[in-house]
Amino acid sequence: MQTGYRVAILGATGAVGTELLELLEERNFPASELKLLASERSAGKQLPFKGEKLSVEPVSEAALEGVDLVLASAGGSISKIWAPKAVEKGAVVVDNSSAFRMNPEVPLVVPEVNPEDVIKHKGIVANPNCTTILMLVGIFPLHKVKPIKRIVVATYQSASGAGAQAMEEVKNQSIDILEGKEPVAKIFPYPLAFNLFPHNTPLNSAGYCEEEMKMVNETRKIFNNQDIRITATCIRVPVLRAHSEAINLEFETPFDVEQAREVLGKSAGVKLIEDWQANYFPMPLEATGKDDVLVGRIRQDISSDCGLELWLCGDQIRKGAALNAVQIAELLVDKNMLGT
């Protein structure tokens, strides 16, 4: 078995790209060589890795020569161009964009949920949307015990979902408002500081935005169940990093709350946080920088004997993007599906 792999990060200077770099070092991923790829304007920038400074180079076919693994987080339009080229040159691509998620030829993987699907890849493995990843890590352990019939979810999504510039925009808007100035919105359509609004992706004819439909369609694909009923409302909130979700689950038969707590308390990728006397439950501040999805406030739905309510928070950049991609790469290594 090969012990070192030639790895490239496409979109290395973005919020997720820099997190990918940190995670490869933290988790001691077996990379014998690491290339940092980005656009021409980012070429020459240097990023730290294992005590060294690595230079960013512009993405090109030559730069992809000999690469075993590409971790891509540069947006769908870039992935559509470069992922197939990387595959042609012998690499496996773990893509963080929406470009390939619903392609029936491309597995959509959350390692805690459907790790077996990674072996179906034909060169590309898709990373799900951040809100989908966080939700499924939190509810799949329950689904394994009793299949979920219906999911109703409301998300509270941080600025980090729109990248590093969006996070800076919210900081600057906060200062402007506190100084009595008019806040400027460039990344988002409206000021987000001290404000919130529905997710600003395009709406379909039924009034659901793209972000909401991602949760519906991706969950059905990952669960391999087109019959599961799902509805979502996605809201952007003035939190810098880490998304939150309020989730209502309906089962065929009642699910005992204490059993749900026991199941989630033992589940990989989940940390149960509940202090009912202190009214202390998961918060995005405490989820920031953490690998686990924080889950709590598990309670019986008083409107349905077969319903459960829960609340979760997870780091959108980490488990919602970069960590999930690195875990997929680790699955590929474990199954000896990288390199020649």
Side-chain angles (χ1 to χ4, degrees):
M1 183 181 291
Q2 194 167 331
T3 56
Y5 301 92
R6 295 158 294 184
V7 180
I9 298 176
L10 176 57
T13 57
V16 176
T18 54
E19 196 79 12
L20 284 166
L21 191 61
E22 290 178 17
L23 283 164
L24 291 176
E25 180 170 346
E26 276 181 33
R27 297 172 73 89
N28 199 27
F29 187 85
S32 60
E33 180 184 345
L34 183 58
K35 291 186 176 185
L36 306 184
L37 307 179
S39 63
E40 288 280 358
R41 68 177 178 275
S42 295
K45 287 185 178 179
Q46 292 194 319
L47 297 174
F49 183 72
K50 293 188 175 181
E52 300 180 18
K53 291 285 189 179
L54 300 183
S55 293
V56 177
E57 58 181 297
V59 60
S60 66
E61 292 197 41
L64 294 170
E65 288 288 349
V67 170
D68 299 311
L69 170 70
V70 176
L71 298 171
S73 189
S77 59
I78 301 298
S79 287
K80 285 177 183 177
I81 295 169
W82 291 105
K85 293 180 185 292
V87 173
E88 285 176 10
K89 294 184 177 297
V92 178
V93 178
V94 179
D95 184 58
N96 197 55
S97 79
S98 61
F100 305 102
R101 289 176 187 156
M102 298 315 298
N103 185 327
E105 299 293 307
V106 176
L108 185 64
V109 175
V110 178
E112 293 89 346
V113 178
N114 61 332
E116 66 283 353
D117 284 356
V118 78
I119 65 172
K120 301 174 185 176
H121 82 80
K122 298 180 180 179
I124 300 173
V125 182
N127 216 26
N129 192 46
C130 53
T131 50
T132 306
I133 292 172
L134 300 176
M135 179 174 74
L136 297 192
V137 170
I139 70 172
F140 183 70
L142 303 177
H143 182 67
K144 285 194 295 183
V145 176
K146 291 187 180 184
I148 297 167
K149 285 177 56 181
R150 184 170 186 251
I151 303 168
V152 180
V153 56
T155 69
Y156 306 81
Q157 297 182 219
S158 63
S160 66
Q165 289 182 322
M167 296 167 74
E168 287 303 311
E169 179 169 284
V170 174
K171 291 178 187 177
N172 294 332
Q173 288 172 352
S174 299
I175 294 169
D176 288 343
I177 291 171
L178 291 171
E179 293 180 349
K181 300 175 185 176
E182 190 71 25
V184 177
K186 294 181 180 179
I187 305 300
F188 293 118
Y190 316 106
L192 185 57
F194 302 100
N195 194 25
L196 56 81
F197 44 81
H199 203 281
N200 54 291
T201 44
L203 300 172
N204 66 15
S205 59
Y208 283 75
C209 72
E210 280 184 1
E211 187 80 358
E212 291 158 351
M213 293 311 299
K214 286 176 184 178
M215 298 191 78
V216 173
N217 296 325
E218 292 176 15
T219 297
R220 286 174 173 164
K221 181 174 178 177
I222 294 164
F223 275 15
N224 191 27
N225 180 356
Q226 293 300 308
D227 295 325
I228 189 168
R229 292 177 292 157
I230 309 165
T231 185
T233 301
C234 294
I235 305 295
R236 190 73 77 180
V237 296
V239 172
L240 282 183
R241 179 164 168 163
H243 292 351
S244 304
E245 302 183 14
I247 303 172
N248 177 282
L249 302 174
E250 182 185 343
F251 302 87
E252 289 280 359
T253 57
F255 202 129
D256 181 73
V257 171
E258 288 305 319
Q259 183 188 10
R261 289 195 180 102
E262 183 180 348
V263 168
L264 289 171
K266 297 187 295 186
S267 297
V270 173
K271 183 176 182 181
L272 187 64
I273 294 184
E274 291 189 323
D275 184 338
W276 289 85
Q277 286 190 321
N279 202 8
Y280 171 65
F281 304 105
M283 294 181 282
L285 269 179
E286 295 191 350
T288 295
K290 302 294 195 305
D291 290 349
D292 288 337
V293 176
L294 311 184
V295 181
R297 206 167 178 230
I298 303 162
R299 61 203 188 279
Q300 172 69 46
D301 177 356
I302 59 173
S303 72
S304 170
D305 290 340
C306 299
L308 282 183
E309 301 269 8
L310 60 85
W311 170 258
L312 63 78
C313 298
D315 190 317
Q316 177 275 330
I317 297 176
R318 206 165 177 91
K319 179 54 186 171
L323 176 59
N324 201 77
V326 172
Q327 288 174 307
I328 291 171
E330 291 169 345
L331 280 176
L332 292 167
V333 169
D334 289 344
K335 295 179 183 300
N336 199 24
M337 299 184 76
L338 291 178
T340 54

